[in-house]
Amino acid sequence: MKDYSITDAVACLRAAGVPVTLQRVEIARVLFAQPVHLSADQILARVRESAPDTSRATVYNTLRLFREKRLVRALLVDAERVVYDSNTTLHHHLYDIDTGEVRDVAADEVMVTGTPRLPPGVELEQIDVILRVRSGRS
Amino acid sequence: MKDYSITDAVACLRAAGVPVTLQRVEIARVLFAQPVHLSADQILARVRESAPDTSRATVYNTLRLFREKRLVRALLVDAERVVYDSNTTLHHHLYDIDTGEVRDVAADEVMVTGTPRLPPGVELEQIDVILRVRSGRS
DNA sequence: GTACTTGCAAATTGTTTGCAGACAC
DNA sequence: GTGTCTGCAAACAATTTGCAAGTAC
């Protein structure tokens, strides 16, 4: 995670129009050092490694903010497992029901074709494709 | 809903290997009279129209049972909106973020092509495609 | 008659909110 | 200095669980 410096994180937040604070920088470093799929609690745990006094509420509030600013996407893989995806480029997901693991699937590996007729005035926001698999391993 | 009789519901449950009880029959009638996308609470409300003493816990337990028996699919359209889909044939979904409305999209309207390389021993369980749209109407 | 179901209420989990003190600028 | 953010704890919503009484077969 050291390849993503505090300076980089600050720049990223500023560019997105997010006021910079210590906690937001730490959360950004966890998310943007590399593409990850983490739950709010996993993010909290990682943030606390470097900023032990961070509260759960701050993580939730910050994740909501990041989502509004389009810095991360919430991915609904399971009713009790919402993960935050720091890869905002076009891609799909493979979800292992047994292990809970989430993997990216490149946009050219699985293609979605055809445009459904949308009612007038309705605009397409995003397309989610989730391949749910069972590995047997739990 | 009268086009889906109690006898039909009983037959459906028996065929799926689900022991028949009054509440399960009423829940089945709500779900299987026509294809629907309903939340647990909406299902509870409809069931209580004909069986007023049904408890919320029974609806949740029954929905879990139906899911295991592949009678319904849980659809994660929104973190705070899980709906149960009684259409188990191959199709996709269109979700209106503003109104919460869920519409079916025929399998031939949007096609998913390409088979991603799956790790060995992993088997594909299902593919979910959700088109998220904004209508502006709230 | 026996085992499985139900209803109720309490427990659990994931997330949001209110408020007083603390930090960014 | 001022307005925003944070931490804490309480509030909240959705779902699950334990247990005693009821029901299917």
Side-chain angles (χ1 to χ4, degrees):
Chain A
M1 199 181 305
K2 289 290 164 271
D3 54 342
Y4 195 77
S5 72
I6 290 176
T7 318
D8 293 335
V10 169
C12 169
L13 295 179
R14 288 238 161 83
V18 175
V20 174
T21 69
L22 183 81
Q23 288 81 349
R24 288 173 186 172
V25 169
E26 289 309 315
I27 294 170
R29 290 178 67 208
V30 168
L31 289 171
F32 306 134
Q34 63 274 321
V36 290
H37 305 104
L38 297 172
S39 70
D41 252 31
Q42 290 173 318
I43 293 168
L44 176 63
R46 295 208 187 176
V47 166
R48 281 187 171 164
E49 289 172 13
S50 45
D53 292 346
T54 305
S55 89
R56 178 170 274 104
T58 297
V59 170
Y60 277 105
N61 290 336
T62 302
L63 286 172
R64 180 146 36 93
L65 183 63
F66 282 12
R67 229 186 310 156
E68 285 162 8
K69 298 296 187 179
R70 300 283 194 278
L71 292 175
V72 296
R73 267 163 38 71
L75 202 78
L76 295 120
V77 289
D78 204 337
E80 53 282 324
R81 204 186 306 245
V82 177
V83 299
Y84 291 85
D85 185 354
S86 59
N87 178 355
T88 52
T89 65
L90 179 67
H91 67 289
H92 307 306
H93 294 97
L94 190 145
Y95 174 61
D96 188 326
I97 300 166
D98 294 318
T99 66
E101 188 198 352
V102 178
R103 253 192 38 203
D104 279 350
V105 173
D108 60 0
E109 231 183 315
V110 169
M111 220 117 47
V112 177
T113 55
T115 318
R117 294 174 298 281
L118 298 179
V122 163
E123 99 182 81
L124 186 59
E125 167 112 352
Q126 73 178 7
I127 301 182
D128 274 345
V129 178
I130 302 184
L131 304 158
R132 286 169 213 281
V133 302
R134 284 194 185 282
S135 64
R137 297 183 289 275
S138 62
Chain B
M1 196 181 305
K2 288 289 166 274
D3 53 340
Y4 195 77
S5 72
I6 291 176
T7 319
D8 293 334
V10 169
C12 168
L13 294 180
R14 288 238 161 83
V18 175
V20 174
T21 69
L22 183 80
Q23 289 81 348
R24 287 174 187 172
V25 168
E26 290 307 316
I27 294 169
R29 290 178 67 207
V30 168
L31 289 171
F32 306 135
Q34 62 276 322
V36 290
H37 304 105
L38 298 173
S39 70
D41 251 31
Q42 291 173 317
I43 293 168
L44 176 64
R46 295 208 187 177
V47 166
R48 281 186 172 165
E49 288 172 13
S50 44
D53 292 345
T54 305
S55 91
R56 178 170 276 104
T58 297
V59 169
Y60 277 106
N61 290 336
T62 302
L63 286 172
R64 181 146 36 94
L65 183 63
F66 282 11
R67 229 185 311 154
E68 284 163 8
K69 298 297 186 180
R70 300 283 193 280
L71 292 174
V72 297
R73 265 162 41 70
L75 201 76
L76 295 118
V77 288
D78 205 337
E80 54 281 325
R81 203 186 308 245
V82 177
V83 299
Y84 291 86
D85 185 352
S86 59
N87 179 356
T88 52
T89 65
L90 179 67
H91 67 288
H92 307 306
H93 295 97
L94 190 145
Y95 174 61
D96 188 327
I97 301 167
D98 293 320
T99 66
E101 189 198 351
V102 179
R103 254 191 40 201
D104 280 350
V105 173
D108 60 359
E109 230 183 315
V110 169
M111 218 117 48
V112 177
T113 55
T115 316
R117 296 173 297 281
L118 297 178
V122 163
E123 103 183 76
L124 187 60
E125 168 112 353
Q126 73 179 6
I127 301 182
D128 274 344
V129 178
I130 301 185
L131 306 157
R132 288 169 211 280
V133 302
R134 284 193 185 282
S135 64
R137 298 183 290 275
S138 59

